[in-house]
C-alpha cells in the first residue's frame, strides 16, 4: 500500500480536516489545526506531504520521527498540529486496513465509555447558570466554566467577587453532585491567581484549569500550596518534552494534552503514559471537530488514567457534526458519557459531499482580542 495524496479541507466553523488517500482505496482522516491559524497548518501539511507521497503508510512511528526530527527545527503548536493530523490519518488507515479500531491496535480497551463534559460561556452569571442547567437536563454529569473575564496583574475586590458570584451561580444551578471544572484560562497573573484559587476552593471543583499560563511554571508551586483543589493544564503544550517539567514538579494533578495539537495519537499516548508514572490523570483537550474527538476517544479507550473527555461539537454550530460526519457512523452518547467507538480505524466516516461544499466557503476564524480598561491587551 502506498500514499498517493494528502488533501486538506478548511470548513466552518473553524476546522481543518485532512484526507490521506492510498493506492488501495483506503483513506484516513485527521484534524490538523491551530485555532485561528488553520491556513498556516494546512500549508505545513502540504510541505510534509513531500516526504509521505509514495511511502507505505504502515510504519507510523518511523514517519512520526522523520516528520518531527527530519526538519532540524521542531516543536511548537504549528508543527505539532500539522504532524498530529497526519498521524491521526495514518492510524485511521491502519485500523481500516486491519478491520480494527485504533485502540485495539494500541493494546485493547480498558473501558467502554468515558464521561464527557462541555464548557459554558457567557458575560454574566445568569447566562452561565442557565446554560449549565440546560446541559445537565440533557444528561451531562460534568460541566466546565470560565471563572473570569479579562483580569490583570492586580484585581479589585469587585473583580474577585464577580468571579466568585459566577461560579456560585453555576454551582447553585447544577447542585453539589454534578462535577464542576473551573477554568481560569491563563487570564490571571501570578498574584491574582493566588487569590482566585483560594476564593474558588469553596465550590469543591473537580479541577482548576490554567490558573496561570504554562510559561509561568514556577508560579504553580506557590499556587498549589494555597488550595486542595486539583490543578489542571496542558492544552497549550505540544509534546512530551513540554509536559516533562510540569509532571516532574509535582504541582499538576490533571493534564490536558490535545491530540490535534500534541503530535497526534502516537505522541499523546506517550504523554499519557508519562503522566501515569506521576499518578496524574488525563482529560484530553478537544474544542475542535469530530475527527479530533474520534482520536481522543481511541486514546480514552486505551489510556488507564484518562478520566474525562471534553467535547464541544455544538459550540459554534449545533448542526455542524451532522453535516460532516455520516449519521450512521457518529458518536453514541448515554448517561453523561460517550461510548468508545468499536468501528475500524478512528470509528467515524466523513460526509465528503458536505465537506467539499463547505470547503468552498472556507473560514478565517480568529480569536477575540481583549483589552483592559487602560487599553493594554488582555489574555483571552
Amino acid at each position: 500500500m502506498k500514499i498517493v495524496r494528502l488533501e486538506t479541507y478548511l470548513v466552518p466553523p473553524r476546522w481543518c480536516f485532512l484526507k490521506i488517500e492510498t493506492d488501495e482505496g483506503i483513506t484516513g482522516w485527521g484534524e490538523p489545526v491551530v485555532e485561528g491559524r488553520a491556513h498556516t497548518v494546512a500549508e505545513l501539511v502540504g510541505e510534509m506531504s513531500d516526504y509521505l507521497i509514495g511511502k507505505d503508510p504502515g510504519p507510523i512511528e518511523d514517519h512520526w520521527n522523520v516528520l518531527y526530527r527530519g526538519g532540524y527545527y521542531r516543536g511548537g503548536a504549528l508543527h505539532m498540529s500539522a504532524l498530529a493530523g497526519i498521524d491521526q490519518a495514518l492510524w485511521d488507515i491502519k485500523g481500516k486496513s486491519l478491520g480494527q479500531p485504533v485502540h485495539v491496535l494500541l493494546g485493547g480497551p480498558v473501558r467502554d465509555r468515558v464521561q464527557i463534559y462541555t464548557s459554558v460561556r457567557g458575560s454574566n452569571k445568569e447566562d452561565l447558570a442557565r446554560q449549565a442547567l440546560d446541559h445537565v437536563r440533557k444528561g451531562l454529569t460534568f460541566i466546565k466554566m470560565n471563572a473570569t473575564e479579562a483580569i490583570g496583574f492586580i484585581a479589585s475586590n469587585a473583580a474577585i467577587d464577580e468571579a466568585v458570584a459566577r461560579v456560585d451561580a453555576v454551582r447553585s444551578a447544577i447542585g453539589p453532585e454534578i462535577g464542576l471544572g473551573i477554568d481560569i484560562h491563563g487570564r490571571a497573573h501570578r498574584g491574582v491567581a493566588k487569590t482566585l484559587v483560594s476564593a474558588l476552593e469553596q465550590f469543591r471543583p473537580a479541577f482548576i484549569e490554567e490558573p496561570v499560563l504554562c510559561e509561568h511554571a514556577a508560579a504553580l508551586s506557590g499556587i498549589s500550596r494555597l488550595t486542595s483543589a486539583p490543578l489542571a493544564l496542558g492544552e497549550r503544550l505540544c509534546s512530551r518534552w513540554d509536559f516533562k517539567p510540569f509532571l516532574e514538579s509535582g504541582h499538576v494533578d490533571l493534564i490536558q494534552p490535545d491530540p490535534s495539537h500534541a503530535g497526534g495519537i502516537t505522541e499523546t499516548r506517550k504523554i499519557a503514559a508519562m503522566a501515569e508514572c506521576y499518578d496524574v490523570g488525563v482529560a484530553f483537550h478537544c474544542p475542535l471537530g469530530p475527527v479530533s474527538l474520534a482520536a481522543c476517544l481511541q486514546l480514552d479507550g486505551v489510556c488507564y488514567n484518562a478520566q474525562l473527555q471534553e467535547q464541544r461539537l455544538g459550540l459554534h454550530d449545533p448542526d455542524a457534526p451532522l453535516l460532516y460526519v455520516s449519521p450512521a457512523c457518529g458518536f453514541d452518547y448515554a448517561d453523561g458519557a460517550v461510548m468508545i467507538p468499536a468501528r475500524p480505524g478512528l470509528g467515524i466516516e466523513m460526509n465528503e459531499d458536505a465537506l467539499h461544499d463547505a470547503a468552498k466557503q472556507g473560514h478565517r476564524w480568529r480569536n477575540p482580542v481583549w483589552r483592559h480598561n487602560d487599553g493594554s491587551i488582555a489574555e483571552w
Side-chain angles (χ1 to χ4, degrees), residues 358-370:
K360 296 174 184 176
Q361 175 184 348
H363 73 84
R364 292 189 69 83
W365 185 89
R366 298 292 184 264
N367 64 265
V369 175
W370 286 3

Side-chain angles (χ1 to χ4, degrees), residues 8 12 22 35 50 94 109 150 167-168 184 233 253 260 323 325 350:
T8 52
T22 69
E35 299 90 308
D50 294 344
K94 184 177 286 289
V167 179
D168 186 28
I184 298 177
L233 56 75
D253 306 290
S260 278
L323 293 175
V325 178
M350 303 302 287

Side-chain angles (χ1 to χ4, degrees), residues 144-373:
K144 188 171 84 172
M145 65 171 296
N146 286 110
T148 180
E149 301 271 307
I151 199 163
F153 284 88
I154 297 174
S156 66
N157 288 340
I160 300 299
D161 290 345
E162 181 182 356
V164 170
R166 286 161 65 97
V167 179
D168 186 28
V170 171
R171 174 54 86 193
S172 297
I174 64 177
E177 300 304 317
I178 298 297
L180 179 62
I182 300 176
D183 191 1
I184 298 177
H185 213 246
R187 294 170 180 169
H189 296 277
R190 181 174 182 164
V192 174
K194 294 178 182 179
T195 305
L196 276 174
V197 297
S198 297
L200 298 175
E201 183 177 19
Q202 62 181 299
F203 301 108
R204 301 178 66 186
F207 59 81
I208 296 177
E209 180 178 338
E210 282 196 322
V212 291
L213 291 169
C214 291
E215 52 256 46
H216 305 309
L220 290 174
S221 173
I223 292 170
S224 67
R225 286 196 290 267
L226 294 172
T227 180
S228 63
L231 299 183
L233 56 75
E235 66 186 62
R236 307 186 210 218
L237 303 178
C238 298
S239 72
R240 72 197 95 147
W241 297 280
D242 288 349
F243 278 92
K244 182 180 178 182
F246 291 95
L247 294 171
E248 290 177 338
S249 75
H251 300 305
V252 176
D253 306 290
L254 184 74
I255 61 167
Q256 299 162 307
D258 189 319
S260 278
H261 296 329
I265 291 170
T266 297
E267 180 71 353
T268 314
R269 203 274 173 92
K270 294 174 182 177
I271 293 168
M274 286 174 59
E276 191 176 348
C277 293
Y278 292 90
D279 204 25
V280 169
V282 176
F284 294 109
H285 182 247
C286 187
L288 298 170
V291 179
S292 183
L293 178 58
C296 286
L297 294 178
Q298 298 300 325
L299 290 161
D300 288 318
V302 77
C303 295
Y304 173 74
N305 52 340
Q307 297 298 294
L308 292 164
Q309 181 56 60
E310 180 178 24
Q311 75 94 37
R312 289 155 65 186
L313 290 181
L315 175 65
H316 301 279
D317 181 350
D319 295 324
L322 301 178
L323 293 175
Y324 301 140
V325 178
S326 169
C329 298
F331 303 100
D332 300 318
Y333 298 94
D335 301 323
V338 60
M339 303 301 295
I340 306 300
R343 294 173 290 272
L346 294 180
I348 60 172
E349 293 293 336
M350 303 302 287
N351 182 338
E352 295 192 46
D353 289 339
L355 277 176
H356 281 98
D357 289 343
K360 296 174 184 176
Q361 175 184 348
H363 73 84
R364 292 189 69 83
W365 185 89
R366 298 292 184 264
N367 64 265
V369 175
W370 286 3
R371 292 189 180 274
H372 296 295
N373 291 335

Side-chain angles (χ1 to χ4, degrees), residues 1-3 22 52 55-64 90-91 93-94 97-98 105 266:
M1 188 188 305
K2 303 295 182 185
I3 296 171
T22 69
L52 292 169
K55 298 289 195 304
D56 178 355
I60 298 174
E61 188 75 26
D62 185 64
H63 291 330
W64 194 97
L90 293 178
W91 276 109
I93 289 170
K94 184 177 286 289
S97 68
L98 297 174
L105 306 182
T266 297

Side-chain angles (χ1 to χ4, degrees), residues 92-107:
D92 196 27
I93 289 170
K94 184 177 286 289
K96 289 174 179 175
S97 68
L98 297 174
Q100 295 290 338
V102 169
H103 62 76
V104 169
L105 306 182
L106 294 174

